[in-house]
Amino acid sequence: MNSLSGPDLSDIHRGDWVDCRLPLALRPYARLARLDRPVGIWLTLFPCWAALVQASHGFPDLRQLAIFSLGALMMRSAGSTVNDIADRKFDGHVERTRFRPLASGQIGVPQALAFLIVQLALAASLLFFLTPYTRLVAICVLPLVFLYPFCKRFTHWPQVVLGAAFNWGMLMAWAEVAGQIPAGAVLMWLGAVAWQIGYDTVYAYVDAKDDTRLGLKSTALLFGRHGKACIGAFYALTAGAWSLGGYMLGMSLPYAIGMLVIAAHLAWQTRQIDLARPDVNFRLFLANILTGALLAGAAFAGTW
């Protein structure tokens, strides 16, 4: 599907560690869980770690850190499986996703559903180590996890649902550590949602041509040629929400310095966006791993 002169935009690369190190029978499941593409794990983990640090006002309890890290890994993997099941009839026609296990026929829907049940059971087992209030907050995210894959069929804003679900661990962290979710924590979460709308729109431009042909919707298609300005606006909202949220949570001066660094990094990303260059946009999407790391670092420095 890619032109002979253009880059191969597939998100699965043959000959990687999955092909070299895992038994043949396990490879489709590793790819279904996105273990070979850990960027989503980092983008989930860093905001969650930042919230744990802010709620603890310092380095979090190691037990809580382990539980939330495993939870982020498992729920991101389960969400990826749900997404691939829902999109199996579309993925084979999209350059980036054409080699995914369900789209390419490596496994069938019954096997994927069985794998999803195992993933959700493992994630649910972690709830036994959390407070009843945190469990209630955790359960509330499930409708978003299952709704997201279908949003692109009826709304141009699937990134909003994805951002809300992807960063739900921030709210759970406060519920677990503090027993409440203060307004500043909600503002931090909303900032993360705006951030995800921004970077996932950059990502969506990679699939824009295929999505148009298939009749799917995204913020990239909604923003069109105004995408650069719109993404910049969401990044500005991100920096503003995180700055105000951190102030409301009592973060110190180093946090404010960290916010300036994040704002500069997001401004640089916006400047580099080229709507006609999917390969450039994919690299800018990956650059948000650094954004997340900066957020977690700023949160920790802000507790000094």
Side-chain angles (χ1 to χ4, degrees), residues 64-150:
Q64 293 173 339
L65 186 64
I67 291 171
F68 277 85
S69 297
L70 287 172
L73 170 62
M74 292 177 184
M75 285 307 298
R76 188 262 182 171
S77 297
S80 297
T81 301
V82 171
N83 186 76
D84 279 13
I85 292 172
D87 284 352
R88 64 191 184 279
K89 294 182 179 179
F90 295 108
D91 283 346
H93 302 282
V94 177
E95 183 176 351
R96 182 177 58 85
T97 60
R98 67 193 188 277
F99 293 137
R100 289 184 175 178
L102 281 163
S104 60
Q106 296 174 54
I107 58 172
V109 174
Q111 292 90 343
L113 287 172
F115 182 54
L116 175 62
I117 291 172
V118 172
Q119 290 174 296
L120 292 175
L122 290 173
S125 68
L126 295 175
L127 296 179
F128 291 103
F129 301 98
L130 302 176
T131 65
Y133 178 46
T134 309
R135 292 174 200 163
L136 178 61
V137 174
I139 291 172
C140 289
V141 76
L142 289 178
L144 298 179
V145 172
F146 287 96
L147 174 64
Y148 164 69
F150 302 97

Side-chain angles (χ1 to χ4, degrees), residues 210-243:
D210 290 326
D211 285 347
T212 300
R213 177 169 49 81
L214 294 169
L216 300 176
K217 304 178 187 296
S218 71
T219 46
L221 298 181
L222 177 65
F223 298 159
R225 61 186 179 87
H226 303 293
K228 192 168 185 174
C230 293
I231 292 166
F234 277 105
Y235 282 164
L237 285 173
T238 298
W242 283 349
S243 297

Side-chain angles (χ1 to χ4, degrees), residues 177-206:
V177 175
Q180 61 175 333
I181 305 174
V186 174
L187 198 52
M188 293 294 299
W189 172 70
L190 290 174
V193 174
W195 174 46
Q196 183 137 13
I197 293 172
Y199 73 67
D200 208 68
T201 298
V202 175
Y203 195 40
Y205 272 101
V206 177

